[in-house]
Protein backbone atom coordinates (compact mmCIF):
# COMPACT_ATOMS: atom_id res chain seq x y z
CA UNK A 1 0.00 0.00 0.00
CA UNK A 2 1.36 3.42 -0.92
CA UNK A 3 1.94 6.24 1.51
CA UNK A 4 -1.10 8.50 1.94
CA UNK A 5 -0.56 12.13 0.92
CA UNK A 6 -2.67 13.98 3.45
CA UNK A 7 -4.29 16.83 1.52
CA UNK A 8 -6.30 18.02 4.50
CA UNK A 9 -3.23 18.76 6.62
CA UNK A 10 -1.41 20.41 3.69
CA UNK A 11 -4.50 22.58 3.10
CA UNK A 12 -4.49 23.57 6.79
CA UNK A 13 -0.82 24.55 6.50
CA UNK A 14 -1.49 26.71 3.42
CA UNK A 15 -4.51 28.37 5.03
CA UNK A 16 -2.38 29.24 8.06
CA UNK A 17 0.16 30.90 5.74
CA UNK A 18 -2.61 32.79 3.94
CA UNK A 19 -3.99 34.03 7.28
CA UNK A 20 -0.51 35.35 8.14
CA UNK A 21 -0.36 37.23 4.83
CA UNK A 22 -3.81 38.66 5.44
CA UNK A 23 -2.57 39.99 8.79
CA UNK A 24 0.44 41.64 7.14
CA UNK A 25 -1.79 43.25 4.50
CA UNK A 26 -4.13 44.49 7.23
CA UNK A 27 -1.20 46.50 8.63
CA UNK A 28 -1.13 48.29 5.26
CA UNK A 29 -4.91 48.87 5.44
CA UNK A 30 -5.64 46.21 2.81
CA UNK A 31 -8.28 43.51 3.21
CA UNK A 32 -8.47 41.06 0.28
CA UNK A 33 -12.04 40.47 -0.84
CA UNK A 34 -13.74 37.66 -2.72
CA UNK A 35 -17.09 37.83 -4.52
CA UNK A 36 -18.66 34.42 -5.05
CA UNK A 37 -21.55 34.23 -7.49
CA UNK A 38 -23.93 31.32 -7.05
CA UNK A 39 -26.73 31.16 -9.61
CA UNK A 40 -29.91 29.20 -8.90
CA UNK A 41 -30.25 26.24 -6.55
CA UNK A 42 -27.68 23.57 -7.42
CA UNK A 43 -27.25 21.75 -4.09
CA UNK A 44 -23.59 20.77 -4.59
CA UNK A 45 -22.68 24.31 -5.73
CA UNK A 46 -24.37 25.79 -2.65
CA UNK A 47 -22.25 23.56 -0.39
CA UNK A 48 -19.03 24.51 -2.21
CA UNK A 49 -19.74 28.26 -2.24
CA UNK A 50 -20.76 28.35 1.43
CA UNK A 51 -17.56 26.55 2.28
CA UNK A 52 -15.52 29.10 0.28
CA UNK A 53 -17.23 32.04 2.00
CA UNK A 54 -16.79 30.44 5.43
CA UNK A 55 -13.06 29.90 4.80
CA UNK A 56 -12.69 33.58 3.83
CA UNK A 57 -14.11 34.54 7.23
CA UNK A 58 -11.79 32.11 9.03
CA UNK A 59 -8.70 33.56 7.35
CA UNK A 60 -9.74 37.22 7.68
CA UNK A 61 -10.66 37.89 4.05
CA UNK A 62 -13.72 39.95 3.13
CA UNK A 63 -16.28 38.00 1.12
CA UNK A 64 -19.62 38.55 -0.45
CA UNK A 65 -21.94 35.91 -1.83
CA UNK A 66 -24.24 36.93 -4.67
CA UNK A 67 -27.16 34.62 -5.37
CA UNK A 68 -29.06 35.64 -8.50
CA UNK A 69 -32.03 33.44 -9.47
CA UNK A 70 -31.83 30.62 -12.01
CA UNK A 71 -33.82 32.85 -14.42
CA UNK A 72 -31.08 35.50 -14.70
CA UNK A 73 -30.13 36.38 -18.28
CA UNK A 74 -26.66 36.58 -19.81
CA UNK A 75 -27.04 40.37 -20.08
CA UNK A 76 -27.96 40.69 -16.40
CA UNK A 77 -25.07 38.45 -15.40
CA UNK A 78 -22.74 40.52 -17.55
CA UNK A 79 -23.87 43.68 -15.75
CA UNK A 80 -23.23 41.96 -12.42
CA UNK A 81 -19.71 40.87 -13.42
CA UNK A 82 -18.93 44.33 -14.81
CA UNK A 83 -19.98 45.90 -11.50
CA UNK A 84 -17.74 43.49 -9.56
CA UNK A 85 -14.82 44.23 -11.89
CA UNK A 86 -15.15 47.91 -10.97
CA UNK A 87 -15.37 47.43 -7.20
CA UNK A 88 -12.30 48.47 -5.22
CA UNK A 89 -13.13 46.16 -2.28
CA UNK A 90 -13.28 43.04 -4.48
CA UNK A 91 -10.00 41.36 -5.50
CA UNK A 92 -11.35 38.01 -6.62
CA UNK A 93 -14.46 37.09 -8.61
CA UNK A 94 -15.68 33.52 -8.75
CA UNK A 95 -18.56 32.36 -10.93
CA UNK A 96 -19.51 28.98 -9.49
CA UNK A 97 -19.94 26.44 -12.29
CA UNK A 98 -22.08 25.01 -13.73
CA UNK A 99 -24.06 28.09 -14.74
CA UNK A 100 -27.61 27.52 -16.04
CA UNK A 101 -27.66 26.18 -19.62
CA UNK A 102 -29.43 29.29 -20.99
CA UNK A 103 -26.63 31.68 -20.01
CA UNK A 104 -23.46 32.07 -22.06
CA UNK A 105 -20.88 30.78 -19.56
CA UNK A 106 -17.86 31.37 -21.83
CA UNK A 107 -18.85 34.96 -22.48
CA UNK A 108 -19.23 35.57 -18.74
CA UNK A 109 -15.98 33.87 -17.74
CA UNK A 110 -14.21 36.00 -20.36
CA UNK A 111 -15.86 39.11 -18.90
CA UNK A 112 -14.20 38.64 -15.51
CA UNK A 113 -11.21 40.95 -15.26
CA UNK A 114 -8.09 38.73 -15.58
CA UNK A 115 -6.65 40.55 -12.53
CA UNK A 116 -9.62 39.31 -10.46
CA UNK A 117 -9.90 35.85 -12.04
CA UNK A 118 -9.04 33.82 -8.93
CA UNK A 119 -10.29 30.59 -10.56
CA UNK A 120 -7.68 31.06 -13.30
CA UNK A 121 -10.29 30.29 -15.99
CA UNK A 122 -9.75 33.41 -18.15
CA UNK A 123 -7.89 32.80 -21.45
CA UNK A 124 -5.51 35.63 -20.53
CA UNK A 125 -4.47 33.72 -17.40
CA UNK A 126 -4.24 30.44 -19.35
CA UNK A 127 -1.98 32.24 -21.83
CA UNK A 128 0.13 33.85 -19.13
CA UNK A 129 0.52 30.48 -17.44
CA UNK A 130 1.65 28.86 -20.67
CA UNK A 131 4.06 31.70 -21.40
CA UNK A 132 5.60 31.39 -17.94
CA UNK A 133 4.46 34.87 -16.87
CA UNK A 134 2.94 35.68 -13.48
CA UNK A 135 -0.60 34.28 -13.69
CA UNK A 136 -3.50 33.27 -11.52
CA UNK A 137 -3.48 29.48 -12.02
CA UNK A 138 -6.56 27.25 -11.61
CA UNK A 139 -6.90 26.18 -7.98
CA UNK A 140 -7.09 22.39 -8.34
CA UNK A 141 -3.91 21.87 -10.40
CA UNK A 142 -2.12 24.50 -8.29
CA UNK A 143 -3.12 22.40 -5.27
CA UNK A 144 -1.70 19.27 -6.90
CA UNK A 145 1.69 20.99 -7.21
CA UNK A 146 1.56 22.04 -3.56
CA UNK A 147 0.82 18.45 -2.47
CA UNK A 148 3.79 17.14 -4.46
CA UNK A 149 6.21 19.84 -3.29
CA UNK A 150 5.19 19.82 0.36
CA UNK A 151 5.34 16.01 0.46
CA UNK A 152 8.91 16.08 -0.82
CA UNK A 153 8.09 14.27 -4.05
CA UNK A 154 10.61 15.20 -6.75
CA UNK A 155 9.12 16.65 -9.95
CA UNK A 156 12.11 17.79 -12.02
CA UNK A 157 13.14 15.16 -14.55
CA UNK A 158 10.22 12.90 -13.58
CA UNK A 159 7.83 11.50 -16.13
CA UNK A 160 4.37 12.96 -15.38
CA UNK A 161 1.35 11.51 -17.16
CA UNK A 162 -1.94 13.37 -16.95
CA UNK A 163 -5.11 11.53 -17.89
CA UNK A 164 -7.72 14.12 -18.88
CA UNK A 165 -7.33 17.28 -20.96
CA UNK A 166 -9.82 19.71 -19.41
CA UNK A 167 -9.13 23.45 -19.40
CA UNK A 168 -9.68 23.48 -15.63
CA UNK A 169 -7.41 20.60 -14.55
CA UNK A 170 -5.58 18.57 -17.22
CA UNK A 171 -4.12 21.34 -19.38
CA UNK A 172 -3.08 23.70 -16.55
CA UNK A 173 -1.68 20.75 -14.55
CA UNK A 174 0.52 19.93 -17.55
CA UNK A 175 1.78 23.53 -17.75
CA UNK A 176 2.51 23.74 -14.02
CA UNK A 177 4.38 20.40 -14.07
CA UNK A 178 6.31 21.49 -17.15
CA UNK A 179 7.40 24.67 -15.33
CA UNK A 180 8.67 22.36 -12.57
CA UNK A 181 10.74 20.55 -15.24
CA UNK A 182 8.75 17.31 -15.44
CA UNK A 183 8.47 15.48 -18.75
CA UNK A 184 4.76 15.61 -19.45
CA UNK A 185 2.30 13.52 -21.41
CA UNK A 186 -1.40 14.37 -21.65
CA UNK A 187 -3.70 11.41 -22.37
CA UNK A 188 -7.35 11.46 -23.40
CA UNK A 189 -10.12 9.32 -24.83
CA UNK A 190 -8.33 8.91 -28.18
CA UNK A 191 -4.98 7.84 -26.67
CA UNK A 192 -3.84 4.46 -28.01
CA UNK A 193 -2.76 1.81 -25.47
CA UNK A 194 -3.45 4.10 -22.55
CA UNK A 195 -2.21 1.58 -19.95
CA UNK A 196 1.21 1.41 -21.63
CA UNK A 197 1.50 5.20 -21.36
CA UNK A 198 0.26 5.50 -17.77
CA UNK A 199 2.64 2.69 -16.70
CA UNK A 200 5.52 4.97 -17.72
CA UNK A 201 4.47 7.59 -15.18
CA UNK A 202 6.51 8.44 -12.12
CA UNK A 203 3.70 10.87 -11.32
CA UNK A 204 0.24 9.86 -12.56
CA UNK A 205 -2.55 12.43 -12.43
CA UNK A 206 -6.09 11.16 -12.91
CA UNK A 207 -8.55 13.88 -13.95
CA UNK A 208 -11.07 12.12 -16.13
CA UNK A 209 -14.29 12.26 -14.14
CA UNK A 210 -14.99 8.52 -14.33
CA UNK A 211 -15.20 6.44 -11.15
CA UNK A 212 -12.30 4.04 -10.63
CA UNK A 213 -11.06 4.45 -14.21
CA UNK A 214 -7.37 3.94 -13.35
CA UNK A 215 -6.88 0.24 -12.54
CA UNK A 216 -3.86 -1.44 -10.86
CA UNK A 217 -2.30 -2.63 -14.13
CA UNK A 218 -2.18 1.02 -15.33
CA UNK A 219 0.15 2.05 -12.50
CA UNK A 220 3.91 1.55 -12.34
CA UNK A 221 4.82 0.04 -8.95
CA UNK A 222 6.03 2.82 -6.64
CA UNK A 223 4.59 5.68 -8.71
CA UNK A 224 2.95 8.72 -7.12
CA UNK A 225 -0.76 8.69 -7.97
CA UNK A 226 -2.77 11.90 -7.70
CA UNK A 227 -6.52 11.37 -7.89
CA UNK A 228 -8.42 14.51 -8.84
CA UNK A 229 -11.75 12.72 -9.38
CA UNK A 230 -14.83 13.21 -7.19
CA UNK A 231 -17.56 10.80 -8.27
CA UNK A 232 -20.61 10.02 -6.19
CA UNK A 233 -21.76 6.42 -6.53
CA UNK A 234 -25.16 5.18 -5.40
CA UNK A 235 -25.33 1.81 -7.12
CA UNK A 236 -24.70 -1.22 -4.88
CA UNK A 237 -23.02 -3.25 -7.64
CA UNK A 238 -20.67 -0.37 -8.40
CA UNK A 239 -19.95 0.02 -4.69
CA UNK A 240 -18.98 -3.66 -4.46
CA UNK A 241 -16.69 -3.27 -7.47
CA UNK A 242 -14.61 -0.68 -5.60
CA UNK A 243 -15.07 -1.23 -1.89
CA UNK A 244 -15.99 -4.90 -1.29
CA UNK A 245 -14.72 -5.84 2.17
CA UNK A 246 -14.08 -2.22 3.29
CA UNK A 247 -16.00 -2.01 6.57
CA UNK A 248 -15.66 1.78 6.97
CA UNK A 249 -16.96 2.49 3.48
CA UNK A 250 -19.73 -0.03 3.97
CA UNK A 251 -20.90 1.94 7.01
CA UNK A 252 -21.10 5.27 5.10
CA UNK A 253 -22.73 3.66 2.09
CA UNK A 254 -25.38 1.91 4.19
CA UNK A 255 -26.07 5.09 6.17
CA UNK A 256 -26.17 7.60 3.29
CA UNK A 257 -26.95 5.42 0.30
CA UNK A 258 -23.92 6.83 -1.50
CA UNK A 259 -20.18 7.32 -1.23
CA UNK A 260 -17.45 9.18 -3.09
CA UNK A 261 -14.91 7.42 -5.28
CA UNK A 262 -12.14 9.07 -7.26
CA UNK A 263 -10.94 8.38 -10.80
CA UNK A 264 -8.55 5.78 -9.41
CA UNK A 265 -9.67 2.28 -8.41
CA UNK A 266 -8.82 1.79 -4.72
CA UNK A 267 -6.84 -1.36 -5.65
CA UNK A 268 -4.54 0.80 -7.79
CA UNK A 269 -3.42 2.71 -4.68
CA UNK A 270 -1.91 -0.54 -3.42
CA UNK A 271 0.55 -0.48 -6.34
CA UNK A 272 1.47 3.19 -5.78
CA UNK A 273 4.41 4.49 -3.76
CA UNK A 274 2.31 7.43 -2.59
CA UNK A 275 -1.24 8.57 -3.38
CA UNK A 276 -3.92 11.10 -2.60
CA UNK A 277 -7.05 9.49 -1.15
CA UNK A 278 -10.61 10.47 -2.08
CA UNK A 279 -11.96 12.16 -0.09
CA UNK A 280 -9.21 14.03 1.77
CA UNK A 281 -6.55 14.30 -0.95
CA UNK A 282 -6.73 16.98 -3.63
CA UNK A 283 -10.20 18.24 -2.64
CA UNK A 284 -9.20 20.25 0.46
CA UNK A 285 -6.47 22.03 -1.52
CA UNK A 286 -8.91 23.63 -3.94
CA UNK A 287 -10.35 26.07 -1.40
CA UNK A 288 -6.93 26.70 0.18
CA UNK A 289 -5.55 27.68 -3.24
CA UNK A 290 -8.58 29.89 -3.92
CA UNK A 291 -7.76 31.80 -0.73
CA UNK A 292 -4.12 31.98 -1.75
CA UNK A 293 -5.07 33.24 -5.24
CA UNK A 294 -7.36 35.91 -3.75
CA UNK A 295 -4.58 37.28 -1.54
CA UNK A 296 -2.19 37.12 -4.49
CA UNK A 297 -4.69 39.00 -6.69
CA UNK A 298 -5.03 41.65 -3.99
CA UNK A 299 -1.27 42.13 -3.88
CA UNK A 300 -0.75 42.06 -7.66
CA UNK A 301 -3.55 44.56 -8.30
CA UNK A 302 -1.78 46.98 -5.97
CA UNK A 303 1.62 46.32 -7.47
CA UNK A 304 2.92 44.71 -4.23
N1 LIG B 1 -17.52 24.10 -9.92
C1 LIG B 1 -16.86 22.98 -9.53
N2 LIG B 1 -15.60 23.28 -9.20
C2 LIG B 1 -15.44 24.60 -9.37
C3 LIG B 1 -14.36 25.51 -9.19
O1 LIG B 1 -13.25 25.16 -8.80
N3 LIG B 1 -14.61 26.79 -9.49
C4 LIG B 1 -15.81 27.23 -9.93
N4 LIG B 1 -15.97 28.52 -10.20
N5 LIG B 1 -16.83 26.42 -10.11
C5 LIG B 1 -16.65 25.11 -9.83
Amino acid sequence: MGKILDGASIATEIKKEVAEEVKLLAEKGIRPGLAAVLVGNVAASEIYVRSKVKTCAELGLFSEMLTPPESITTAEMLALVTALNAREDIDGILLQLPLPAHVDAKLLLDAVSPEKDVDGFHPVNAGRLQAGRPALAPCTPAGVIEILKRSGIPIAGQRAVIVGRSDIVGKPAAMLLLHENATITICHSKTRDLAAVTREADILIAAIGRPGFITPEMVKPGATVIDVGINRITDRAEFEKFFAGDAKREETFSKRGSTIVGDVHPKAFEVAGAYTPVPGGVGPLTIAMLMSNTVRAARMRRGL
Side-chain angles (χ1 to χ4, degrees), residues 195-277:
V197 182
T198 58
R199 270 200 308 272
E200 295 270 303
D202 302 305
I203 299 169
L204 179 60
I205 311 230
I208 315 124
R210 285 174 61 179
F213 182 83
I214 302 291
T215 50
E217 62 279 5
M218 297 169 79
V219 179
K220 176 166 80 175
T224 298
V225 178
I226 304 290
D227 190 353
V228 180
I230 301 175
N231 310 290
R232 184 171 292 280
I233 55 169
T234 54
D235 181 61
R236 168 55 75 174
E238 203 170 20
F239 176 84
E240 293 295 337
K241 199 169 88 190
F242 299 127
F243 299 115
D246 184 333
K248 227 170 112 189
R249 285 282 185 164
E250 179 60 54
E251 201 186 314
T252 358
F253 191 74
S254 303
K255 202 164 68 188
R256 295 190 199 153
S258 74
T259 191
I260 301 289
V261 65
D263 289 350
V264 179
H265 195 296
K267 285 263 181 262
F269 293 140
E270 294 176 17
V271 184
Y275 71 97
T276 57

Side-chain angles (χ1 to χ4, degrees), residues 37 45 48-49 52 93-98 109 119 121 138-140 168 286-287 290:
V37 184
S45 291
Y48 285 135
V49 172
K52 290 168 183 178
I93 301 170
L94 176 155
L95 305 180
Q96 186 65 26
L97 302 178
L109 290 170
D119 262 328
F121 292 171
C139 301
T140 300
I168 294 177
T286 300
I287 290 183
L290 176 70

